Amino acid sequence: MKIGYGFNAAMTARPGMGERLAELLLTGLDEGNPAASEHCLVYLVSRSASDPDVVHVTEGWTSEEEHHRLFAGQAAQDLVARVQELVAAQSPYTDYVPVGGKAAF
């Protein structure tokens, strides 16, 4: 499969909650959650090296339609609600169409 749609978002957690926010976002990979879908090809959660309360999420999907379809589901909505409880500020959402690269973990 090829990535047809992606985005990056940066969120600022409430003071001291960056680690918890990152851990919660990683549950998006759990069975039944959106990032566990075969249509999610990249799901990277990172914390800022200079501010541990800033958390970045990079996602790559087979299509924008699949991303929106999966995020309309109850599991995604529940995860988003839990994330919002930990977020103090959210930066602009940046979407893109990947053209190449590499990810290995």
Side-chain angles (χ1 to χ4, degrees):
M1 282 193 217
K2 186 172 179 161
I3 298 171
Y5 172 76
F7 70 88
N8 185 42
M11 295 166 261
T12 301
R14 294 180 188 191
M17 299 300 288
E19 182 174 1
R20 177 66 190 119
L21 177 57
E23 290 171 352
L24 179 58
L25 287 165
L26 286 171
T27 67
L29 293 165
D30 293 348
E31 186 67 33
N33 281 328
S37 165
E38 65 182 1
H39 297 284
C40 182
L41 304 177
V42 175
Y43 189 80
L44 176 63
V45 177
S46 306
R47 289 176 70 192
S48 168
S50 61
D51 184 344
D53 286 329
V54 175
V55 179
H56 300 267
V57 180
T58 301
E59 297 185 24
W61 292 81
T62 55
S63 70
E64 185 173 3
E65 294 77 21
E66 286 300 331
H67 171 260
H68 292 309
R69 181 182 68 78
L70 284 157
F71 268 81
Q74 192 61 51
Q77 294 303 307
D78 291 346
L79 180 59
V80 168
R82 292 193 328 258
V83 164
Q84 291 303 318
E85 293 174 3
L86 298 176
V87 172
Q90 190 160 352
S91 72
Y93 170 94
T94 305
D95 63 345
Y96 49 78
V97 177
V99 296
K102 179 180 177 180
F105 300 92

